[in-house]
Amino acid sequence: MEKTILSLAAERTADKLQEFLQTLNRDDLTNHLQNQAVKGRNVGAFLRAVFKGSPCCEETGTLRRYKIYSCCIELLESGDLQKEVASEIIGLLMLEAHRFPGAVLVELANDFVNAIKEGTLDSGKSLELLPIILTALATKKENLAYGKEELNGEECKKQLINTLCSSRWNQEYVIRLTSMFKDVPLTAEEVEIVVEKVLRILPKLNLQEIPALVYQLLVVSSKGNRKNVLERIIAFFNELDKKHSEEQSGDKLLDLVIMPSNELRYVEGTIILHIVFAIKLDCELGRELLKHLKAGQQGVSSNLCPFSIALLLSLARIQRFEEQVFDLLKTSVIKSFKDLQLLQGSKFLQNLVPHRTCVSAMILEVINHSVHCWDHVTQGLVDLGFILMDSYGPKKILDGKTTETSSGLSRMPSQQACKLGASILLETFRIHEMIRQEILEQVFNRVVTRATSPISHYLDLLSDIITYAPLVLQSCSSKVTETFDFLSFLPLQTVQGLLKAVQPLLKLSMSMRDSLIIVLRKAMFASQLDARKSAVAGFLLLLKNFKVLGSLSSSQCSQAIGASQVSVDVHSRYNSVANETFCLEIIDSLRRCLGQQADVRLMLYEGFYDVLRRNSQLASSIMQTLLSQLKQFYEPKPDLLPPLKLEACILTQGDQICLQEPLDHLLCYIQHCLAWYKSRVMPTRQGDEEEEEGFYQDLDDMLESITNRMIKSELEDFELDKSSDFSQNNDTGIKNNICASLVMGVCEVLIEYNFSISNFSKNKFEDVLSLFMCYKKLYDILSEKAGKGRTKMASKMNDSLLSMKFVSDLLTALFRDNTPSHEESLSVLRASTEFMRYAVSVALQKVQQLKEAGHVSGPDGHNPDKIFQNLCDITRVLLWRYTSVPTSVEESVKKEKGKSISLLCLEGLQKIFSAVQQFYQHKIPQFFKALDGTDEEADRDVSVTQRTAFQIRQFQRSLLNLLSSQEEEFNSKEAAVLVTVLSSLSKLLEPSSTQFMQMLSWTSKICKENSQEDASFCKGLMNLFFSMSVLYKSPVTLLRDLSQDIHGQLGDIDEDVEVEKTDHFAMVNLKTAAPTVCLLVLGQAEKVLEEVDWLITKLKRQGIPEPLSEEASSQITAANDPAEKAVIVQLGTLLTAFHELVQTALPSGSCVDTLLKGLCKMYTTLTALVRYYLQVCRSARGIPKNMEKLVKLSGSHLTPLCYSFISYVQNKKSNNSTHTGEKKKKTAAVSTAMARVLRETKPIPNLIFAIEQYEKFLIQLSKKSKVNLMQHIKLSTSRDFKIKGNILDMVLREDGEDEDEEGTASEHEGQIKEPPKKKQKK
């Protein structure tokens, strides 16, 4: 049979073939086909012959074709065919599908749909034919019978797809079925149906099957519906991540999918790769992804999650999307931190907005996930980390300081973003080895190339990296040594930070250390001063960290620089004897610096003290070096006055005179080295080392001799007295200033030396007082000569040579030492009020240094732990002194000029509380424990809030005592400082605690019951009140009450109206109402409007629901969103506050300007709310009743009064113009007044525009909502400029009078106007 068919098919015409086929039974053909195909024989020719002899124009031919086609499909599904045979059959069937009539195609498609419905498909191979059949069907234009309907081919295809997608799919065929649709031409509606079907199946699949399905889905989405596909995939994996984390934490078992963590991460990584590959092929998909994530970024409910962030970081590898991706991530990070800051500062928002995961936590989560072969994410993470650090790192400002000097907790969003960038890079460095080299290279490049910008954040990151893996960096030694070559050209601060960071590496790599020494030796003889200072800093660091055998252990050292930076003990790498030789070589190199500039010498002296404590075996060499240097300036004859050669310390080079030897600092560090050696090293010395001990005795004798002779010396011995010239304009004056500075410094050093060795001897304390009197005489002379500005003295006092530890000990002895044996000797010092005031002043200056620079001058000035301990001791003394001796008592008996000691103590406490919060946030519990002086075990359960409350009560009592004093005795300075102290301490109270509530109610009571006219006190107290109120509830009612008080005090803009005075807050009086309280109220109102604006934006981005029926919409209107209600209440109450202020006769100046801007912001926010309700109305939801009331209130209580206030301001302007016109001679006064008027009237057009915009959108809302919102709004239509006759006559008369006057004034005016004319000509 087969041979006959094949031979007939070979003929030109198919007539005989058709006749032969008609003679055969259909089953014969199908049976033969099955037998041959199963045996693996070639059936292609047979099938082609059968199809050739079965033309579609004949019914029998069509039926035969259909039968053969169906048989082939069954064969393919049976799985009995060999691959080659199956492929040949599929290829033939694909070619023949387009020749079938429409009805047969419908039948074939229905067969497929039914098989899928019933789950009778076995292998699924035949599904490759379905897209061909559906495509062929879509081309048929004639009507075909489909069920009971007559439809064309396209409509039939749509119905078939509908039926297919509404039926249940077997899981094993889901991927094939989805893949099938990519070959079918689909309309947008059909794509949506298919995508919805596949997305519904997605959660039911096994985890391993999901990547393949997602890829097929992405291919289908290229036909449309991209946004929906991406949204649902991201949402699916976000939900999966959440459930997985819940399962891991044990909160809840997974209902849908239970999977190991590794498997989920691998699947997510694969899917991210699929999506990025799909985006490469279809850029529109990438644009949709960015559009979707940006839309979520606008509102509070962000679309960002760990999965979408990882996806974005992978997408950044595509160049066209790189910039957009990083901009989106950078904006999201900073917005997240800003939102967090806004929420933390407002109880009103905290009650309305639920806590969300911060973007920073999500990014760090991505880093942890990326360990599971997410190599495509790592480069994006590195780039993002550096972008955040570059964009938000500390910036240089005008005076050269950086914007961020705090080493404490960062509170600003930009600081947090920079910190996040560093965390990203450090975590990525830890997890991914392959990227480490690049991170290090980029960090080193920034350190070298950004020398002029602050780079402390990069140095901190480098230090953290090296601490984590010092051995890893040995492979990058070439990069480190290359960086060393640039040391001479880098700023000193950068060099110190860099060397401190790489210090652990120097112990591990001999070659690296040798490279550094070569560079430092070259730098020591460089022409630039900074390069030489860098060399000294480098050598000193080496001396500190290469220990010599026999030195004290690091636990005995007071400063362990870098000792904790390497986690293993690496000292065994080098022989200690070799270290000693190495260190002595360095000291020999450093001795050459003793002939260089004063700055270099000073650095060396300070460094020697640190080295001595780290390497005590070098003490002999160091002390000998310092002693030989001192001998150059020491007069050895015991009777010769003065004991020091000050002339030798000053260098004259041509016309310039400068300090060559900082003798005071040399003496300072000699006495500190000596004291440390005597207390730590000498007790451990053996008897055979008497000779060396005698060497230190010589130093003691020299210091004793200098002390005695300094006391005997008069100012004339130093060629300094009241008649001396101290001006900075000539050589003599400069020289005398330098000498005076040296003498004062030496006196301070000797005061500390004699006190420390005194053992409470009365004679020594008398010497201390005598030295202080010498210091005081010079201080007074310089203060007198400095005249008005005591800049010279201020700078000198800031650089006091007393160490912080000594200041702490001195204050404790002066104020707290009650030991009977010390009483007599201490009475010598206590008798001098000036000396005690000096001691407290130096303490204040040390704390001020800490606040400004993060460290203090002198020994241990860079050791945070030592500084903290000293701060605790100083605070304890100052607190006792202030609370024990009130200022009022002290001032009643005080005769000397200047601040009282109690007031200085209070100022010191204020600075200390601020500094502790800035630098020692993590140590606040220890700080308060130190103040209480209680046993730690007994008070372990006492919280910071309780301890803070105890301290607050002491200062509250002091303030109440001040307020209860007579008006003429009221000390406004003390009151203002007390309020600052209370403000600082109140930040440490937990807002939910009873102590916080007690403090708030106490502050409120003070504001309500006390009427003080001092502006600074009022401002501080009101600021404290507002800062606490916002953490309890919204301050709008307070603003309303304060506005009423201001209105009552200042009167109405209409002089005929008598305002009823309210007395909510006695603190608001005629002197404080404006500008002090008024500006505070307006500032707070602006913050409230910002919060409301933020909330409205959130509501807009939450999305408006689908249109509802009228019945449902009325129910929703009645119970509107709590956030909506809160916004309306806030704006309503704030509107009543503005209602009061806008009627107030405010004085010209900042109040008027700020009020006009505040009103403008108010109308802008009202407009934003109206536009939100325009969106709401699209969903057939009405507007709530309270919104209608708000609109009514704005129309009746604000808008008309705004126009009255504008007229009031403009009238004041014309009055001012008239007034200043009478005094034309005072041109400066005229120009100042006119400038102020212009500044005040500038916001008026903006306000009018804001009002008109509000009214414009109200009209639109009225039409949409079908509620007449404009019935209480009177539209202002007059915007033209009217000529007022009476004013015109008055001006013309004035002009006539002016013309009769002499021409001098006009000439003068011409001179004023001439420069602009010249500019115009240019």
Side-chain angles (χ1 to χ4, degrees):
M1 177 180 67
E2 183 179 352
K3 287 180 181 177
T4 309
I5 290 171
L6 290 173
S7 62
L8 289 171
E11 293 181 7
R12 285 188 178 181
T13 59
D15 296 342
K16 291 182 181 178
L17 178 60
Q18 287 174 21
E19 289 172 8
F20 180 74
L21 288 174
Q22 282 174 354
T23 61
L24 295 174
N25 193 340
R26 285 179 201 161
D27 292 339
D28 295 340
L29 284 172
T30 54
N31 290 336
H32 179 75
L33 180 62
Q34 284 173 351
N35 291 333
Q36 295 299 312
V38 169
K39 289 175 184 176
R41 290 178 185 166
N42 190 352
V43 294
F46 175 70
L47 274 174
R48 274 192 289 274
V50 171
F51 283 132
K52 184 178 179 182
S54 308
C56 293
C57 55
E58 295 178 5
E59 189 177 347
T60 52
T62 304
L63 287 170
R64 194 182 303 117
R65 270 175 173 265
Y66 172 69
K67 188 77 175 174
I68 292 292
Y69 213 94
S70 299
C71 177
C72 288
I73 290 171
E74 286 171 16
L75 277 171
L76 290 168
E77 283 304 314
S78 68
D80 297 332
L81 303 184
Q82 294 176 6
K83 279 187 180 179
E84 295 80 4
V85 176
S87 297
E88 189 180 19
I89 291 174
I90 287 171
L92 272 169
L93 295 182
M94 283 179 174
L95 291 171
E96 292 297 328
H98 288 281
R99 295 176 183 167
F100 277 95
V104 177
L105 289 171
V106 170
E107 282 293 320
L108 285 170
N110 269 324
D111 290 346
F112 272 108
V113 171
N114 291 331
I116 293 164
K117 263 187 189 178
E118 294 159 12
T120 54
L121 286 177
D122 293 327
S123 68
K125 283 184 181 176
S126 63
L127 282 175
E128 290 180 43
L129 297 170
L130 183 54
I132 305 298
I133 293 168
L134 290 173
T135 306
L137 181 60
T139 60
K140 307 297 179 184
K141 304 294 183 187
E142 70 272 15
N143 285 342
L144 304 167
Y146 187 85
K148 296 178 180 179
E149 296 178 281
E150 291 280 324
L151 305 172
N152 64 26
E154 186 65 40
E155 289 167 343
C156 285
K157 182 196 73 172
K158 184 180 176 180
Q159 286 296 329
L160 284 162
I161 289 171
N162 257 326
T163 310
L164 182 60
C165 290
S166 59
S167 59
R168 192 166 174 272
W169 293 0
N170 243 340
Q171 281 195 17
E172 54 191 299
Y173 301 128
V174 169
I175 295 166
R176 285 196 177 185
L177 283 167
T178 310
S179 172
M180 172 204 82
F181 283 109
K182 71 174 187 262
D183 299 321
V184 180
L186 300 171
T187 62
E189 191 181 344
E190 289 164 355
V191 172
E192 191 176 345
I193 293 167
V194 172
V195 164
E196 274 299 320
K197 171 66 179 175
V198 177
L199 288 169
R200 282 200 303 273
I201 296 171
L202 194 62
K204 299 172 187 175
L205 291 182
N206 293 328
L207 206 58
Q208 297 84 354
E209 294 174 335
I210 290 176
L213 179 62
V214 166
Y215 178 73
Q216 297 302 335
L217 190 57
L218 289 166
V219 175
V220 172
S221 74
S222 63
K223 297 172 182 285
N225 218 14
R226 297 178 181 86
K227 184 185 172 186
N228 188 29
V229 169
L230 288 168
E231 275 182 29
R232 297 279 286 277
I233 290 171
I234 290 169
F236 171 71
F237 280 102
N238 187 22
E239 196 61 33
L240 212 56
D241 278 340
K242 283 178 185 174
K243 288 185 177 180
H244 182 69
S245 59
E246 282 172 13
E247 183 196 39
Q248 283 190 322
S249 62
D251 293 335
K252 193 177 173 184
L253 287 174
L254 274 175
D255 298 324
L256 298 177
V257 189
I258 297 174
M259 78 302 276
S261 176
N262 293 3
E263 192 179 348
L264 175 60
R265 301 299 163 229
Y266 286 127
V267 166
E268 285 179 338
T270 308
I271 283 169
I272 289 168
L273 282 174
H274 283 332
I275 295 174
V276 172
F277 180 70
I279 289 170
K280 284 179 181 175
L281 300 176
D282 179 14
C283 290
E284 193 57 40
L285 194 64
R287 283 191 280 272
E288 281 295 341
L289 174 64
L290 289 170
K291 199 171 165 185
H292 165 61
L293 294 174
K294 277 179 185 173
Q297 180 201 21
Q298 301 300 320
V300 177
S301 54
S302 172
N303 290 328
L304 287 178
C305 60
F307 179 80
S308 61
I309 289 171
L311 178 55
L312 280 173
L313 291 168
S314 293
L315 183 63
R317 295 193 305 168
I318 302 174
Q319 193 175 357
R320 68 162 62 185
F321 293 115
E322 183 181 2
E323 192 178 338
Q324 295 175 62
V325 165
F326 288 126
D327 280 347
L328 172 61
L329 286 171
K330 192 171 83 167
T331 313
S332 299
V333 165
I334 202 72
K335 184 180 183 297
S336 171
F337 285 130
K338 282 180 179 175
D339 289 351
L340 193 63
Q341 188 185 36
L342 197 65
L343 283 167
Q344 285 173 344
S346 170
K347 186 70 176 174
F348 164 69
L349 289 178
Q350 287 169 22
N351 292 336
L352 290 167
V353 180
H355 175 72
R356 294 184 305 108
T357 309
C358 187
V359 174
S360 58
M362 295 179 192
I363 294 172
L364 294 174
E365 200 178 321
V366 169
I367 299 172
N368 292 330
H369 294 172
S370 68
V371 73
H372 302 290
C373 298
W374 287 14
D375 297 343
H376 43 91
V377 169
T378 48
Q379 186 60 53
L381 283 168
V382 172
D383 292 343
L384 177 63
F386 280 113
I387 284 168
L388 290 175
M389 289 188 79
D390 292 343
S391 304
Y392 300 113
K395 300 288 185 291
K396 198 170 186 179
I397 48 180
L398 294 174
D399 59 355
K401 293 180 181 177
T402 59
T403 52
E404 183 187 352
T405 54
S406 167
S407 60
L409 295 179
S410 303
R411 292 185 181 87
M412 298 302 291
S414 58
Q415 293 169 350
Q416 289 174 314
C418 177
K419 200 174 172 185
L420 173 64
S423 301
I424 290 169
L425 291 169
L426 183 59
E427 289 302 312
T428 308
F429 183 90
R430 283 178 178 168
I431 290 173
H432 297 285
E433 287 185 27
M434 62 175 185
I435 208 80
R436 286 176 178 175
Q437 184 89 15
E438 186 185 340
I439 291 174
L440 281 169
E441 281 196 12
Q442 290 212 42
V443 171
F444 279 121
N445 287 343
R446 280 164 170 78
V447 168
V448 171
T449 58
R450 303 193 178 184
T452 55
S453 308
I455 53 164
S456 56
H457 51 310
Y458 288 116
L459 293 172
D460 292 340
L461 173 63
L462 182 62
S463 179
D464 290 339
I465 286 172
I466 293 172
T467 303
Y468 172 73
L471 295 170
V472 170
L473 266 83
Q474 280 194 285
S475 60
C476 308
S477 57
S478 59
K479 188 67 188 174
V480 179
T481 50
E482 184 187 324
T483 307
F484 287 160
D485 293 337
F486 296 97
L487 287 184
S488 304
F489 309 103
L490 297 178
L492 176 62
Q493 200 175 358
T494 302
V495 172
Q496 287 174 317
L498 177 62
L499 293 179
K500 190 175 176 182
V502 301
Q503 174 261 115
L505 301 179
L506 302 177
K507 295 178 180 178
L508 299 173
S509 170
M510 180 75 84
S511 62
M512 205 180 287
R513 191 189 76 176
D514 293 343
S515 301
L516 176 61
I517 290 171
I518 291 167
V519 170
L520 293 178
R521 280 181 174 155
K522 285 180 184 174
M524 190 163 277
F525 299 100
S527 56
Q528 299 91 357
L529 177 62
D530 261 10
R532 297 199 295 279
K533 286 164 85 171
S534 297
V536 172
F539 278 133
L540 288 170
L541 192 82
L542 290 170
L543 283 178
K544 287 176 206 170
N545 291 292
F546 284 84
K547 297 203 73 174
V548 178
L549 189 68
S551 292
L552 296 173
S553 65
S554 60
S555 62
Q556 291 175 274
C557 299
S558 57
Q559 206 175 18
I561 295 174
S564 61
Q565 285 190 318
V566 62
S567 54
V568 290
D569 186 12
V570 293
H571 292 124
S572 57
R573 293 269 304 183
Y574 298 120
N575 185 303
S576 290
V577 177
N579 274 355
E580 184 171 11
T581 310
F582 169 66
C583 289
L584 291 173
E585 278 180 20
I586 290 176
I587 290 176
D588 193 45
S589 297
L590 287 173
R591 283 196 185 107
R592 297 172 192 169
C593 297
L594 295 172
Q596 295 194 9
Q597 283 93 335
D599 285 352
V600 179
R601 298 185 195 191
L602 175 57
M603 201 172 172
L604 188 59
Y605 302 151
E606 188 175 352
F608 273 158
Y609 176 62
D610 289 334
V611 170
L612 184 71
R613 292 175 303 160
R614 297 275 298 140
N615 250 336
S616 57
Q617 284 298 95
L618 299 174
S620 178
S621 300
I622 288 172
M623 292 300 287
Q624 198 167 355
T625 303
L626 292 174
L627 183 61
S628 62
Q629 185 72 0
L630 178 60
K631 281 181 178 177
Q632 296 178 37
F633 308 98
Y634 173 69
E635 290 286 2
K637 295 177 183 176
D639 299 329
L640 203 60
L641 298 179
L644 299 166
K645 303 171 185 174
L646 297 183
E647 292 284 342
C649 299
I650 297 168
L651 177 69
T652 306
Q653 284 184 326
D655 297 337
Q656 287 190 333
I657 292 177
C658 60
L659 178 68
Q660 184 175 31
E661 175 60 51
L663 185 59
D664 47 356
H665 286 86
L666 173 61
L667 268 174
C668 173
Y669 287 104
I670 283 176
Q671 79 96 359
H672 282 299
C673 290
L674 186 59
W676 186 85
Y677 184 83
K678 285 195 290 188
S679 64
R680 299 293 181 91
V681 180
M682 283 179 68
T684 64
R685 292 281 179 181
Q686 303 298 321
D688 59 350
E689 295 174 337
E690 284 293 326
E691 188 183 340
E692 282 197 16
E693 289 187 18
F695 172 77
Y696 291 103
Q697 186 59 49
D698 290 346
L699 267 174
D700 260 334
D701 292 342
M702 284 176 74
L703 287 169
E704 187 69 32
S705 172
I706 293 170
T707 300
N708 294 332
R709 286 190 278 167
M710 282 295 287
I711 291 167
K712 291 175 188 175
S713 299
E714 297 292 333
L715 290 182
E716 286 78 5
D717 295 325
F718 300 105
E719 298 180 5
L720 300 170
D721 56 28
K722 285 190 175 182
S723 60
S724 302
D725 182 6
F726 287 98
S727 68
Q728 297 283 353
N729 302 327
N730 57 58
D731 295 350
T732 309
I734 293 169
K735 182 181 173 183
N736 286 341
N737 269 305
I738 293 171
C739 284
S741 174
L742 286 173
V743 172
M744 289 169 74
V746 168
C747 286
E748 283 191 312
V749 172
L750 294 175
I751 286 170
E752 181 167 351
Y753 171 72
N754 283 283
F755 188 93
S756 60
I757 65 165
S758 66
N759 197 20
F760 291 90
S761 153
K762 186 177 180 181
N763 292 335
K764 281 292 175 190
F765 281 1
E766 285 171 350
D767 289 350
V768 166
L769 203 56
S770 300
L771 288 163
F772 170 69
M773 292 317 294
C774 176
Y775 172 90
K776 183 76 169 61
K777 283 177 193 172
L778 269 174
Y779 179 92
D780 290 341
I781 290 169
L782 287 174
S783 300
E784 188 183 333
K785 297 284 184 183
K788 294 178 183 177
R790 299 188 177 185
T791 51
K792 177 67 184 172
M793 282 313 305
S795 63
K796 174 62 202 163
M797 288 296 287
N798 277 335
D799 296 326
S800 173
L801 293 183
L802 301 183
S803 66
M804 200 167 180
K805 177 74 172 72
F806 170 69
V807 173
S808 164
D809 294 344
L810 178 61
L811 289 174
T812 307
L814 288 174
F815 297 128
R816 296 303 307 269
D817 194 334
N818 299 320
T819 312
S821 59
H822 299 167
E823 193 71 35
E824 186 185 355
S825 55
L826 282 171
S827 62
V828 174
L829 299 178
R830 287 170 178 168
S832 171
T833 311
E834 287 183 341
F835 182 74
M836 292 202 291
R837 187 186 290 116
Y838 162 74
V840 177
S841 299
V842 175
L844 258 72
Q845 287 144 18
K846 293 287 179 187
V847 179
Q848 187 63 31
Q849 279 180 2
L850 176 65
K851 283 185 69 179
E852 289 175 357
H855 55 82
V856 296
S857 59
D860 292 324
H862 290 264
N863 185 339
D865 295 331
K866 289 283 181 184
I867 293 173
F868 177 72
Q869 188 56 53
N870 294 331
L871 273 181
C872 292
D873 296 339
I874 291 170
T875 310
R876 199 163 47 239
V877 177
L878 297 184
L879 191 58
W880 179 88
R881 176 64 172 76
Y882 177 71
T883 51
S884 303
V885 187
T887 315
S888 54
V889 175
E890 189 180 345
E891 288 186 342
S892 63
V893 295
K894 188 182 77 166
K895 294 177 183 176
E896 300 89 352
K897 290 181 180 179
K899 292 178 183 176
S900 65
I901 293 174
S902 289
L903 185 55
L904 283 172
C905 289
L906 181 61
E907 287 181 2
L909 289 167
Q910 179 249 313
K911 291 177 189 292
I912 289 169
F913 289 138
S914 172
V916 168
Q917 288 183 52
Q918 187 179 356
F919 295 99
Y920 298 102
Q921 188 83 22
H922 59 292
K923 286 192 172 184
I924 284 174
Q926 295 98 298
F927 177 71
F928 281 120
K929 280 179 189 173
L931 295 193
D932 295 345
T934 51
D935 181 30
E936 282 193 26
E937 290 185 11
D939 280 356
R940 191 175 291 173
D941 298 332
V942 182
S943 66
V944 171
T945 294
Q946 289 169 310
R947 292 184 189 279
T948 307
F950 173 74
Q951 300 298 339
I952 283 172
R953 282 194 291 275
Q954 298 189 67
F955 294 108
Q956 284 176 333
R957 278 194 294 272
S958 300
L959 185 56
L960 286 173
N961 291 337
L962 261 181
L963 294 169
S964 60
S965 62
Q966 296 294 326
E967 193 171 330
E968 60 273 7
E969 293 176 10
F970 179 71
N971 188 334
S972 59
K973 285 183 181 177
E974 184 181 0
V977 179
L978 270 171
V979 170
T980 311
V981 169
L982 288 168
S983 299
S984 188
L985 289 173
S986 69
K987 292 172 186 172
L988 301 174
L989 294 172
E990 181 60 42
S992 58
S993 65
T994 53
Q995 289 88 348
F996 181 88
M997 289 308 302
Q998 287 166 1
M999 172 77 175
L1000 178 57
S1001 57
W1002 180 85
T1003 312
S1004 174
K1005 189 180 177 186
I1006 295 288
C1007 291
K1008 286 178 178 177
E1009 295 177 3
N1010 288 276
S1011 179
Q1012 294 294 336
E1013 295 184 343
D1014 184 71
S1016 61
F1017 171 67
C1018 174
K1019 185 177 181 180
L1021 193 64
M1022 294 304 294
N1023 267 328
L1024 169 61
F1025 187 32
F1026 279 134
S1027 67
M1028 296 191 74
S1029 297
V1030 293
L1031 296 175
Y1032 171 60
K1033 65 174 185 179
S1034 174
V1036 283
T1037 50
L1038 288 179
L1039 298 178
R1040 183 189 61 202
D1041 293 346
L1042 284 163
S1043 300
Q1044 287 174 357
D1045 290 349
I1046 294 168
H1047 189 191
Q1049 290 292 338
L1050 297 178
D1052 201 273
I1053 54 175
D1054 186 350
E1055 294 174 2
D1056 300 331
V1057 175
E1058 188 176 339
V1059 184
E1060 183 186 346
K1061 287 192 177 183
T1062 55
D1063 55 353
H1064 297 110
F1065 293 92
M1067 194 53 70
V1068 182
N1069 52 52
L1070 202 55
K1071 288 199 174 177
T1072 60
T1076 308
V1077 179
C1078 179
L1079 288 176
L1080 287 172
V1081 167
L1082 289 168
Q1084 204 61 42
E1086 188 179 358
K1087 288 179 185 174
V1088 171
L1089 287 170
E1090 278 177 19
E1091 290 173 7
V1092 169
D1093 213 29
W1094 185 84
L1095 211 48
I1096 292 169
T1097 307
K1098 172 189 174 292
L1099 288 169
K1100 282 182 182 176
R1101 300 298 172 189
Q1102 275 179 344
I1104 306 300
E1106 292 298 312
L1108 303 167
S1109 64
E1110 285 187 21
E1111 189 180 339
S1113 67
S1114 64
Q1115 288 173 359
I1116 291 174
T1117 305
N1120 58 321
D1121 187 88
E1124 286 182 31
K1125 190 176 178 182
V1127 163
I1128 293 166
V1129 170
Q1130 289 286 95
L1131 288 174
T1133 317
L1134 201 56
L1135 198 145
T1136 56
F1138 277 117
H1139 166 71
E1140 295 292 337
L1141 290 174
V1142 87
Q1143 295 178 82
T1144 307
L1146 294 172
S1148 293
S1150 54
C1151 288
V1152 171
D1153 188 30
T1154 313
L1155 177 56
L1156 288 168
K1157 287 177 181 174
L1159 288 165
C1160 189
K1161 176 73 175 168
M1162 178 76 188
Y1163 277 104
T1164 307
T1165 308
L1166 283 168
T1167 307
L1169 184 62
V1170 170
R1171 294 179 76 172
Y1172 164 69
Y1173 278 110
L1174 274 170
Q1175 273 187 309
V1176 168
C1177 287
R1178 288 178 195 152
S1179 65
R1181 238 185 78 187
I1183 58 172
K1185 292 290 180 187
N1186 50 5
M1187 178 62 188
E1188 292 180 39
K1189 288 178 186 174
L1190 178 65
V1191 173
K1192 179 181 175 181
L1193 195 67
S1194 69
S1196 60
H1197 280 61
L1198 195 59
T1199 308
L1201 297 175
C1202 281
Y1203 288 114
S1204 304
F1205 186 72
I1206 289 169
S1207 302
Y1208 166 75
V1209 173
Q1210 288 174 331
N1211 287 338
K1212 288 194 81 170
K1213 170 192 168 186
S1214 59
N1215 291 340
N1216 282 341
S1217 301
T1218 309
H1219 182 64
T1220 51
E1222 292 169 4
K1223 303 177 181 179
K1224 289 186 179 180
K1225 291 178 183 178
K1226 298 182 180 180
T1227 52
V1230 173
S1231 57
T1232 305
M1234 289 306 294
R1236 188 177 70 243
V1237 165
L1238 284 170
R1239 188 177 66 248
E1240 285 178 9
T1241 53
K1242 197 175 178 182
I1244 291 175
N1246 295 338
L1247 174 57
I1248 291 170
F1249 176 74
I1251 294 171
E1252 289 178 344
Q1253 285 293 104
Y1254 172 58
E1255 291 169 351
K1256 170 188 163 185
F1257 284 105
L1258 266 182
I1259 293 167
Q1260 291 181 22
L1261 184 59
S1262 297
K1263 290 176 182 174
K1264 284 270 183 187
S1265 63
K1266 297 174 184 173
V1267 177
N1268 185 10
L1269 297 170
M1270 299 301 293
Q1271 60 182 332
H1272 302 288
I1273 307 278
K1274 184 183 177 184
L1275 286 176
S1276 306
T1277 53
S1278 178
R1279 289 285 171 271
D1280 57 340
F1281 294 92
K1282 294 181 179 178
I1283 298 172
K1284 296 182 179 178
N1286 55 344
I1287 295 173
L1288 182 62
D1289 290 341
M1290 187 176 71
V1291 173
L1292 289 172
R1293 277 200 301 274
E1294 283 178 6
D1295 287 348
E1297 289 169 11
D1298 290 345
E1299 285 170 11
D1300 295 336
E1301 292 176 0
E1302 294 180 7
T1304 53
S1306 59
E1307 285 173 19
H1308 187 57
E1309 285 173 13
Q1311 289 170 6
I1312 294 170
K1313 291 177 183 176
E1314 197 168 345
K1317 286 180 184 176
K1318 287 181 181 178
K1319 286 179 185 175
Q1320 287 169 3
K1321 285 175 186 175
K1322 285 177 187 177

